[in-house]
Amino acid sequence: GNSVTQMEGPVTLSEEAFLTINCTYTATGYPSLFWYVQYPGEGLQLLLKATKADDKGSNKGFEATYRKETTSFHLEKGSVQVSDSAVYFCALSRGYQKVTFGTGTKLQVIP
Amino acid sequence: DAGITQSPRHKVTETGTPVTLRCHQTENHRYMYWYRQDPGHGLRLIHYSYGVKDTDKGEVSDGYSVSRSKTEDFLLTLESATSSQTSVYFCATDQGREETQYFGPGTRLLVL
C-alpha cells in the first residue's frame, strides 16, 4: 500500500535559519504530493503541492520538488520566521484512493 | 477557502454516553472525511463519504458510525464513548481525484 515517511520532530531552529524537513513516499504509479501545515489550535491547510515528477511546489517562501528517482518531496525554506512554528505534514494522493499522511513534524522557531 | 465548520468545538462527556459531532460544508464537495489526531499517530481516518448516503470505513472505525443525509452535512457518532476516544477530531472535504483536502477547525473531545 501507499505510505509516507517524514523525519521525526521536534525540529528547533533559530530565526533566519535554513529549514529542511525530509519526506519520502511509497506508492504505485505517479501520485500527487502535498505539504500541509497545522498552526496551533487549527486544522490543517494546504501549504504546497506537486502533481508530477520534477514539479516544484512553492508558497510563502517554502519549496518542495517532486523527485521520482528518490521518491522524495523534501520541504525547504531559506530563512524561517517565528511565525512558521507549526506542525508540517507530508501527504500523497493517488487517483481516487484515500489520502495518505505522514505523522507530522513539529517545527519550533526561536527568536 | 472552503467553508467547513464543526460543532461542537469542545465537548466533555462521560464514558458510556452517546456523542454526535457535526461537520458542515458550503463548497458542495463530493467527498467528506472524519479523522482523529493523537500524539504520535498523526492523522488517522475513521470514516469517509463519497456521496449522500454513501459511506465507508477507514482504518480506525471501531466504535464509530457516520451518516450523510445531505451533501453539506456529515455526522460522526460515538455510540457509547470510551476514554480511548478522547482525541481531536477533524472533518475534511475534497473533490476527489488527487485534489486538495480542506479541513475544519477541529473538535476537542474529552471522555471522562
Side-chain angles (χ1 to χ4, degrees):
Chain A
N2 300 333
S3 68
V4 174
T5 302
Q6 57 182 109
M7 60 190 292
E8 294 280 337
V11 174
T12 302
L13 295 173
S14 297
E15 206 166 21
E16 300 185 1
F18 184 86
L19 168 70
T20 299
I21 300 178
N22 291 336
C23 171
T24 57
Y25 69 90
T26 302
T28 55
Y30 302 92
S32 291
L33 301 175
F34 305 79
W35 276 101
Y36 288 86
V37 59
Q38 183 181 31
Y39 298 104
E42 299 183 8
L44 281 69
Q45 58 185 272
L46 179 70
L47 180 59
L48 53 84
K49 65 184 285 187
T51 58
K52 61 182 186 295
D54 299 325
D55 265 3
K56 177 183 285 188
S58 61
N59 186 26
K60 301 181 181 180
F62 291 89
E63 294 183 340
T65 301
Y66 190 141
R67 302 286 189 198
K68 181 152 182 62
E69 64 276 11
T70 55
T71 62
S72 64
F73 193 54
H74 303 324
L75 182 67
E76 296 182 336
K77 187 176 185 183
S79 176
V80 294
Q81 305 301 312
V82 172
S83 58
D84 293 326
S85 298
V87 181
Y88 293 82
F89 291 88
C90 185
L92 71 83
S93 180
R94 173 85 178 98
Y96 286 103
Q97 298 173 16
K98 298 177 289 298
V99 176
T100 301
F101 288 92
T103 53
T105 301
K106 184 175 182 179
L107 170 66
Q108 182 179 13
V109 180
I110 54 178
Chain B
D1 291 341
I4 303 171
T5 56
Q6 294 184 230
S7 59
R9 293 292 314 278
H10 302 271
K11 186 168 183 67
V12 180
T13 192
E14 294 187 348
T15 298
T17 60
V19 175
T20 296
L21 309 183
R22 180 179 183 246
C23 177
H24 180 79
Q25 59 135 335
T26 59
E27 297 300 311
N28 202 34
H29 285 170
R30 178 182 175 187
Y31 294 83
M32 298 186 75
Y33 308 82
W34 278 108
Y35 295 93
R36 60 178 290 175
Q37 184 176 30
D38 305 287
H41 292 278
L43 284 172
R44 292 183 290 176
L45 182 65
I46 304 171
H47 282 280
Y48 66 101
S49 169
Y50 45 96
V52 174
K53 296 193 188 323
D54 292 324
T55 64
D56 205 348
K57 297 178 180 180
E59 59 183 298
V60 289
S61 59
D62 287 349
Y64 302 94
S65 62
V66 291
S67 66
R68 191 169 178 200
S69 59
K70 297 186 290 185
T71 298
E72 58 267 35
D73 290 328
F74 192 33
L75 303 181
L76 176 71
T77 298
L78 291 64
E79 301 290 347
S80 177
T82 67
S83 58
S84 65
Q85 293 175 312
T86 291
S87 187
V88 181
Y89 291 87
F90 288 99
C91 174
T93 74
D94 65 31
Q95 287 285 49
R97 195 85 181 138
E98 303 182 24
E99 295 295 322
T100 300
Q101 284 203 342
Y102 296 90
F103 285 79
T107 294
R108 190 172 295 274
L109 176 66
L110 174 61
V111 183
L112 299 175

